[in-house]
Amino acid sequence: VLTNWSRVYSTAMKKKNHMVFSTVKTQKREHLFKWVGPIMDTIDCCIAPKAKKIVINNILDLNKYRIGAVLKDASGLMLLDNGVDKKNLHLISGKNSIKQSFVKMKKNRIDMFAYTLESIQYDARKNDLKMSDYEVVYEIKKTKLYFAFNKNTDDKIILKWQKALDEIKSDGTYDEIVNMYR
């Protein structure tokens, strides 16, 4: 079921045989789930309207801005872990949190949005938004996306998923799927 990020994340933590597709595997999250992947490499970053001409020289410069981030998402958590003040982070939840973030940037309610670049680009295309009006102003970290399964999920299921992922990567199906979303 597709629903808002924080609900999916909480459900996967609480309910056996539930999983999050997809999430960044961080050191803090590693023990919370059973992992299948990596699905793909990504970049957690902050994007902003080009018209704002924002220049970030180091992570602490982000404290001058209002940053939208998805509730419980790795991008916002990494910002907090690295010195961005909680008061500068505006948490967004709901089914269309990326689209909401673009609206908030347009209405000048936030200055930038932190999330994985591929997801931002995909959602922008899906909602007929022009990514050419936006730019990456800060790269938080290069990361990898995974399937994150509830810890009580049977290891046999985890192994089947990993085997299936490895197989589609080796036979070319994976590349076909990824290219449909680029």
Side-chain angles (χ1 to χ4, degrees):
V1 176
L2 295 175
T3 187
N4 77 59
W5 170 253
S6 59
R7 184 175 300 141
V8 169
Y9 187 86
S10 295
T11 301
M13 284 189 66
K14 295 174 190 169
K15 291 188 176 185
K16 183 178 177 179
N17 296 330
H18 282 69
M19 65 97 160
V20 178
F21 168 77
S22 59
T23 191
V24 173
K25 184 178 181 181
T26 65
Q27 191 173 10
K28 285 185 176 183
R29 288 179 173 170
E30 194 160 358
H31 71 283
L32 299 175
F33 298 98
K34 289 184 179 179
W35 300 90
V36 170
I39 301 168
M40 68 184 302
D41 295 336
T42 190
I43 299 169
D44 286 81
C45 64
C46 295
I47 66 154
K50 284 181 180 176
K52 283 192 174 270
K53 298 182 188 303
I54 294 173
V55 176
I56 304 295
N57 295 310
N58 64 64
I59 196 162
L60 296 180
D61 286 349
L62 292 171
N63 283 315
K64 301 173 191 170
Y65 300 97
R66 298 164 295 163
I67 307 162
V70 175
L71 181 65
K72 298 183 184 178
D73 180 67
S75 297
L77 297 173
M78 284 188 267
L79 291 175
L80 291 172
D81 287 346
N82 288 287
V84 173
D85 194 312
K86 188 177 181 178
K87 71 177 171 41
N88 294 48
L89 216 56
H90 297 256
L91 298 177
I92 300 163
S93 65
K95 225 176 194 178
N96 298 310
S97 53
I98 299 173
K99 183 179 178 182
Q100 287 179 51
S101 299
F102 278 102
V103 170
K104 287 181 179 210
M105 283 189 286
K106 188 173 185 165
K107 292 183 176 182
N108 203 32
R109 291 173 51 207
I110 58 175
D111 301 302
M112 63 184 71
F113 176 56
Y115 207 61
T116 58
L117 183 58
E118 289 80 5
S119 297
I120 292 169
Q121 292 170 332
Y122 172 74
D123 222 66
R125 281 191 307 276
K126 187 173 82 174
N127 290 292
D128 295 320
L129 299 165
K130 293 192 317 191
M131 273 306 293
S132 58
D133 293 338
Y134 298 86
E135 64 184 338
V136 174
V137 294
Y138 187 76
E139 185 177 301
I140 303 166
K141 187 176 183 181
K142 287 183 167 79
T143 56
K144 295 181 182 298
L145 294 173
Y146 287 78
F147 296 98
F149 286 81
N150 175 278
K151 282 185 71 158
N152 295 316
T153 302
D154 190 312
D155 286 339
K156 290 177 186 172
I157 293 171
I158 302 301
L159 290 172
K160 282 183 183 179
W161 273 78
Q162 187 66 57
K163 183 180 178 198
L165 178 61
D166 294 343
E167 284 176 6
I168 67 167
K169 282 184 174 183
S170 67
D171 74 10
T173 304
Y174 170 86
D175 291 329
E176 290 176 25
I177 294 168
V178 170
N179 289 332
M180 288 178 6
Y181 296 95
R182 287 202 166 139

